[in-house]
Each structure stands twice: as structure tokens, then as C-alpha cells.
Amino acid sequence: MGLSSPTDIPGLRNRFLVCSLAAIAIFLLLVLRLWYLQVISADRYLTLSEKNRIRYISIAAARGPIYDRNGELLVDNRPAFGVSVLRQEVEEIDPLLTQIGGLLDVDVEKLRARWDAGQRFPRYRPLPLADDVSRDALDRVQENSVDLPGMLIEVRPLRSYPYKEMAAHLLGYLGEITEQELQEEAFAGYRPGEFVGKSGLEKFLDPYLQGTEGERRVEVDVRGRELRLLKTQEPIPGNKVFLTLRRDLQLAAEKALEGEAGAVVALDVRTGEVLAMVSTPAFDPAAFARGITGQEWVKILKNPRHPLTNKAIKGQYPPASTFKIVTALAALKGGVISPSTTVDCQGSLTLGNQEFRCWKKEGHGPTNLKKALKESCDVYFYMVSLDLGIDRLSAMAQDLGMGKPLGFLLDGEKGGLIPTRQWKRERFRVPWYDGETVIASIGQGYVLATPLQLAVMTAAIANGGTVLRPHVLKKIEDLDGKILRETTPEVIGTALAAEKDFREVRRGLEAAVNEPGGTGQASRLQGVRVAGKTGTAQVVRLKDKDDINPDREIPYRFRDHALFVAYAPAETPEIAVAVVVEHGSHGGSAAGPVARVLFETYFGIDDSAGKSVPVPENGSAAFSEQREE
């Protein structure tokens, strides 16, 4: 009996057929499934696979803090919530922006502008839409987060100014980076919506203050939910900046000038360090850090007192009688006068067909240099200037740091104006006249100076003629305390005159504050002798001005500017101060008390009794276009 083939066995053949058919069916099902996945659902699964990936979330770095000279914190950061979106996870932007705008109560067009600006940056980086979101708005966003695909809530450090408007012009403010800045090499790596320094030290020191951004890598699912943290790179905060300012002095000066428009500068006469720099009215830098509203911006721009202008370095004023310090030193150096030279002031000087009046109608009588400085006799300096000449007067002013920018580190510093014969010939193509020298001798006419220049000039008088570059940056340290940058005193000029000449000028300034009849008595202190000089700069010429009360009847904008420069202690000077009160009327009564507050604060003096010192009331106009104390 021979063996049969398996297919000859009926049961086995049937099982073979069933298995074959089943295998074919399974194969067909697999092919169909593969076709469904690769063809029918290709787009859907491609999208899902793209979303199920690694997410890179940046961690903003805190901006470097700013301290005063004693380590008192002036500028810091605070945590704030921001709303961003990940472009790669956004399916439809218009509905998303509309929804987020409604929840945050923010104009959708503003969100749209940020979205558009961020299109050229990597899709995986969060694109900030809103900053410093309130707690209530944040709750609304979180409650609806499942309906906001691609939305992220980030915690970012926000610039904080604990003392609000204090030193606002000096510290500066931040602003959102512009489209133009984003295209500049200096801002490479910045994202739309980020804030950078726009003015003041925030701008000048921006490379030091900006930290290094960190990053968090997380794995997320298709719904954007974080599955696990893969890696964290911590941000590096910005460097620490130390200024030469004294916080208490700055605050005291601002309070003393509150309600007025003007400027105050206080310097260390030995180093040129800025101890206080005030410009009023000011602004709150925090409003810019959180994103100033259009209404707030318009209000600032329409303020006639120009709160955005740093008047300490950009305000150019006639120095008025404070300039008599320069005239006196130039005349002594030139041998035009001696301390005993006497001029008989009868209340005016006639030159040609013009009358140049002294502020004291009845005149000061026989007047020497000390009395001329103490009582601010105009006629004395009129007479002296005619022998001195404008060019020698201007040369001394320039030697004392006037007539050009001093090289202060902030943008926009003005140079003032110290006229010469050549300057006028080139500017107006006409010769210089003696009458213009007379006017220049009391700091009017073409003469202009900034409050910073007046402070530098005063410091040079106090220290014997050394002109120091004013500086406010003391040092910059990294997180480990390594000094990255440090400022040391820098001599930028010298006023060459004999020490005895400086001594005679200082004697007159000391008398102006401490002796009866002195115009600067409002700054006199008990325990510390102050030396100073008042000034009242005419703003416009008003007819019959002598017969009206300037405080009551002259409109604010036409009132004279009040000035005062001083230093102390008179014997061993440490601090020099320049004060300008716009439309303050009288230097002695409006600017002098401000300087007094600075000296009290600097020396830790509570001299309330001395504040009742009477200030001589100065009267009428000097020369037909001048008015002086």
C-alpha cells in the first residue's frame, strides 16, 4: 500500500483552504488599513505627529538692579503674568485673538499687531501677546484655556520702580522693542513684545542690564499638555549697577521742588560725582514698563511743562546773576579790578542812548567786589565788563566748563552758549557791541547754561579751578561681584587764576549767604557755612513791570526764572548745588530754599529755626531789557 499526498486527504485539504483564505483576508485588511493611514488620514496624522513633540519655552531673565552709592535699591523687578501663543499649535488665529482679546479686555488689533510682528521668528518660540495681565483677567484666561489652543501663560520679571517718579529722567524708562530695532544687529535675538531701554540709564546701560534668557524643554501631547520636563536652562539675571546718587538727597531735592518746573543738580566738588539730579515735572517709569496707554502718552505730550525733558542736562537758561561769579573771577585774573576796586552805583549806567539799570533803583552806592557779589549789584559788573571785554569774559566761562557739552553719559546733553565777537560775526554777520558785553556780564543776552554746567562751574570755584567731568555711574558688577566697569574722577579742564582771586570770589559768595543784606540768606544754615549766589533770569520784557506784583498779576509763563548756585562747607567744600525754578520769580526766595534742603539733608542738619531768615525783597528791572537782584 503506497503513501497518499496531503491534498488527497479530504479533511486536511479543507483546513488548508480555510487557512489560505484567512491569510488572504488578513493581508487584505492590513493593506486596507495601511491605505487608510497613509492616504486617507495622512494629513490628520501628520498634524498629530507634529504636535506631539518637544516644546521650547523661554524663561525671561530679570533685568539688573540699580542701586545708589550706599547700596540702596532704586530699581528692581517684580513677577508679572503674560499671555503668549505657540504659533505651531495655533489652528485659526482670528478666532483665537478675538477670544483672548475679549478675556483680557484688550484691543484685538493690538494683539494682531504683535502676532504679525512675530511671524518671522521660529514657530516653536512663544510669541508674547499681552504683558502684566491682571489676576482677574488671568483667571478668565485659565478657565477657558481648553478652548485656546496654543495659548501659554508665562511668568516674567517686570521692571519695578519702588520710588515711582524718583530720578525718572536719569534712570529712564523701558519700551516695547520696535520693528526697526528688531532688524538691527544690536537687538539680534530679541522677540517682538520684549522691552528694552528707551531713555536714560535704562537705555545707555541696556547691554549690562539685560540678562541672558533661559529655556525649558518639555514634551507635550497633541493637546499641548506637558508630559515631562526634559531639561531646564536657568536664565542669568542682568548685572548690578551702582550709581553715585544718594537716595535721601535725591528724594529731598524732589520734594523741595515739588509742584514746580525746574531742575536741581548736586555734585561732589572733589570728584565730580552726581549726588542728586532732579528734573520736574517727572513721570512714572513703571507706566512705560507695563506698556503705557495711548491716553497716558497723550497726557504727557500735552503737558506744557514738558515732563519727558531732562531739564538738568537739556534745559538751557540765562544764568543771570549766578554768572557774576564768572565775571568777577575773569576781572580779577585780568587785572581789571582788585578786591578794593570801588564803583559808585547810582541805580543805572548810561551807555550811548541806552540806560542799563540796577535791580536796586536807588543804587548800592560805593560798592567793592565783596559787596557787589553779596548784594548782586548790577552796575558794578556793568562797569567792570566794559574794561574786561566779552572775549576775556567768555574765555573764563569756557574754562569753567560752560559753552559746550560736558560729556555726561546720557544722550541729548546741551552745550549752552557763551558768545564771543567771532561767534556773533559768524552767526549774524554784524559786529559785537559794548552794550551786549554789559548784558552778558550779568548772565543775560546770548548767554545760556544748563543746570549741570552751573553746578560744574560752582564746583570749580569751590575746589580752586579744577573742572571735573560730572558722572553718575559708580560701577557695574556681575553676579559674582566682579567689577565690569568703574568710573574714576576725570579732569576735563582748569580755570587758571591765582588762588587769591578764587579766595576773593568765594569771600563774596560766603557773604551773600551769611551776612546782612546778602541775597542768598534763604540758604543759610546753623553749624555749616554755605557760600552761594542768587540769580533771576528775565523770560520776557514787560512794560511797566516795576509797578506790578509779579506773583499775582504776571501770567506764569512770563515770570522770571529763579536760580541759585552754592557750595558747602564754605571753608572745606564738599558739595555744590545748582537750582533752577522755571518762572519762580526770585532766585533768593524760590531757588535758595531748595538748595538749603539739600544741604540740610547732606549734613544731617535739622535747622528749622534758621528757615525764618528773612530774604531781601528784590525790586525792579535792571537795564530796559534786564531784571536782576
Side-chain angles (χ1 to χ4, degrees):
M1 184 176 178
L3 294 175
S4 300
S5 165
T7 55
D8 294 336
I9 301 172
L12 186 60
R13 183 174 58 191
N14 290 338
R15 286 199 294 272
F16 177 75
L17 287 174
V18 170
C19 291
S20 298
L21 291 173
I24 294 172
I26 291 172
F27 178 75
L28 289 175
L29 286 173
L30 290 174
V31 171
L32 287 173
R33 180 60 179 171
L34 185 62
W35 176 75
Y36 174 80
L37 292 175
Q38 294 293 322
V39 179
I40 301 299
S41 301
D43 293 341
R44 176 170 175 264
Y45 285 104
L46 177 61
T47 301
L48 290 176
S49 67
E50 287 181 345
K51 289 184 176 180
N52 195 6
R53 59 175 57 182
I54 306 302
R55 177 182 287 176
Y56 298 85
I57 301 175
S58 60
I59 307 174
R63 226 174 142 78
I66 300 177
Y67 302 90
D68 79 347
R69 66 186 300 116
N70 297 318
E72 300 283 354
L73 187 63
L74 304 179
V75 183
D76 198 7
N77 303 282
R78 65 176 175 84
F81 293 102
V83 173
S84 302
V85 290
L86 280 170
R87 291 166 54 212
Q88 62 185 3
E89 296 181 9
V90 175
E91 297 175 351
E92 294 184 66
I93 185 58
D94 289 334
L96 180 64
L97 293 181
T98 301
Q99 200 168 358
I100 293 177
L103 294 170
L104 297 179
D105 194 19
V106 174
D107 186 356
V108 176
E109 290 305 315
K110 184 177 179 181
L111 302 180
R112 166 65 71 179
R114 283 198 169 184
W115 170 265
D116 292 342
Q119 294 306 298
R120 60 191 178 85
F121 292 90
R123 291 170 57 85
Y124 60 83
R125 298 194 64 176
L127 193 161
L129 290 181
D131 305 294
D132 199 18
V133 176
S134 69
R135 195 65 191 174
D136 291 341
L138 190 69
D139 290 341
R140 292 195 296 271
V141 171
Q142 285 180 317
E143 290 172 0
N144 294 272
S145 59
V146 294
D147 300 322
L148 303 170
M151 187 276 298
L152 282 177
I153 294 175
E154 297 179 291
V155 180
R156 307 186 197 120
L158 191 68
R159 209 56 162 160
S160 172
Y161 301 87
Y163 299 96
K164 298 184 182 300
E165 297 183 353
M166 187 195 75
H169 299 87
L170 185 61
L171 297 173
Y173 60 84
L174 305 180
E176 186 174 337
I177 192 168
T178 64
E179 184 64 28
Q180 182 179 354
E181 288 170 333
L182 285 169
Q183 297 174 4
E184 297 175 6
E185 186 177 350
F187 295 96
Y190 284 75
R191 294 180 295 161
E194 290 190 356
F195 281 67
V196 297
K198 294 290 186 178
S199 75
L201 294 172
E202 292 280 22
K203 177 182 178 183
F204 183 78
L205 300 177
D206 196 76
Y208 291 100
L209 292 170
Q210 287 279 3
T212 303
E213 194 176 75
E215 186 177 79
R216 198 160 59 93
R217 297 182 190 179
V218 296
E219 184 180 357
V220 297
D221 63 15
V222 294
R223 295 181 181 274
R225 294 175 300 199
E226 294 186 9
L227 299 178
R228 61 182 174 130
L229 176 65
L230 299 177
K231 183 179 180 182
T232 299
Q233 182 179 342
E234 296 294 339
I236 301 174
N239 299 297
K240 295 182 285 187
V241 172
F242 293 84
L243 305 182
T244 61
L245 284 187
R246 256 182 61 168
R247 187 186 65 175
D248 59 341
L249 210 58
Q250 182 76 23
L251 288 170
E254 292 183 2
K255 186 176 181 182
L257 206 58
E258 189 174 11
E260 303 285 356
V264 176
V265 176
L267 301 176
D268 187 320
V269 303
R270 302 157 296 187
T271 62
E273 292 179 336
V274 176
L275 303 173
M277 179 175 281
V278 177
S279 179
T280 58
F283 55 87
D284 186 359
F288 292 86
R290 61 169 163 73
I292 193 168
T293 66
Q295 190 176 10
E296 290 172 325
W297 180 243
V298 170
K299 184 179 180 182
I300 290 176
L301 292 181
K302 287 187 175 180
N303 189 327
R305 295 188 175 191
H306 308 293
L308 288 180
T309 300
N310 186 351
K311 297 178 177 68
I313 62 171
K314 296 181 181 180
Q316 300 183 104
Y317 306 90
S321 285
T322 64
F323 197 71
K324 290 173 181 173
I325 298 172
V326 180
T327 306
L329 186 62
L332 286 168
K333 177 187 176 184
V336 175
I337 60 170
S338 70
S340 60
T341 300
T342 301
V343 171
D344 187 15
C345 172
Q346 296 299 315
S348 67
L349 167 70
T350 300
L351 187 65
N353 59 357
Q354 278 190 302
E355 182 185 36
F356 298 85
R357 288 183 285 170
C358 185
W359 69 267
K360 192 174 183 179
K361 287 181 180 178
E362 62 275 22
H364 292 85
T367 303
N368 60 18
L369 176 61
K370 178 184 174 185
K371 181 180 177 182
L373 288 170
K374 183 183 78 171
E375 300 182 8
S376 200
C377 174
D378 294 323
V379 170
Y380 180 91
F381 291 96
Y382 293 159
M383 296 292 290
V384 166
S385 69
L386 290 174
D387 291 333
L388 179 63
I390 185 62
D391 287 339
R392 283 197 288 180
L393 175 58
S394 297
M396 178 55 72
Q398 291 166 356
D399 287 347
L400 287 167
M402 308 175 82
K404 61 182 179 181
L406 293 161
F408 194 62
L409 55 77
L410 297 186
D411 292 337
E413 183 197 358
K414 299 296 184 183
L417 176 61
I418 299 299
T420 62
R421 292 178 186 276
Q422 182 180 356
W423 168 83
K424 188 184 178 190
R425 192 163 48 248
E426 293 175 354
R427 177 71 175 79
F428 300 108
R429 300 184 184 281
V430 293
W432 184 269
Y433 300 108
D434 286 345
E436 293 169 319
T437 303
V438 167
I439 298 305
S441 72
I442 62 167
Q444 295 272 187
Y446 297 116
V447 182
L448 294 173
T450 67
L452 182 63
Q453 288 175 326
L454 292 177
V456 168
M457 178 271 288
T458 306
I461 294 295
N463 68 24
T466 301
V467 180
L468 294 156
R469 190 185 306 283
H471 61 277
V472 72
L473 176 63
K474 195 170 187 66
K475 62 180 178 180
I476 301 175
E477 288 183 358
D478 65 12
L479 296 179
D480 297 325
K482 179 184 177 183
I483 296 178
L484 305 177
R485 176 171 174 169
E486 190 171 19
T487 307
T488 56
E490 181 183 1
V491 177
I492 57 174
T494 304
L496 296 176
E499 174 54 30
K500 63 181 178 60
D501 295 337
F502 279 104
R503 189 165 55 244
E504 290 302 326
V505 172
R506 291 195 290 258
R507 198 160 70 98
L509 301 182
E510 197 172 340
V513 175
N514 299 285
E515 295 185 7
T519 57
Q521 293 182 76
S523 64
R524 193 171 69 191
L525 290 176
Q526 297 294 328
V528 175
R529 285 182 73 82
V530 176
K533 183 72 195 77
T534 56
T536 301
Q538 188 180 56
V539 174
V540 295
R541 178 186 175 189
L542 296 175
K543 291 182 178 179
D544 302 323
K545 195 174 180 179
D546 299 352
D547 301 325
I548 58 179
N549 184 329
D551 294 330
R552 293 182 179 177
E553 300 180 39
I554 298 177
Y556 171 81
R557 66 183 186 280
F558 296 145
R559 295 177 192 169
D560 299 337
H561 295 324
L563 298 93
F564 187 66
V565 298
Y567 61 86
E571 306 84 357
T572 53
E574 296 179 16
I575 177 176
V577 172
V579 180
V580 175
V581 181
E582 291 185 351
H583 312 292
S585 295
H586 301 298
S589 58
V594 176
R596 176 195 174 87
V597 170
L598 266 78
F599 291 133
E600 286 177 343
T601 305
Y602 181 86
F603 294 108
I605 295 173
D606 181 11
D607 188 20
S608 55
K611 293 177 181 174
S612 60
V613 173
V615 180
E617 286 296 331
N618 302 316
S620 55
F623 153 69
S624 58
E625 293 183 357
Q626 307 301 317
R627 180 177 184 279
E628 202 37 69
E629 295 176 316

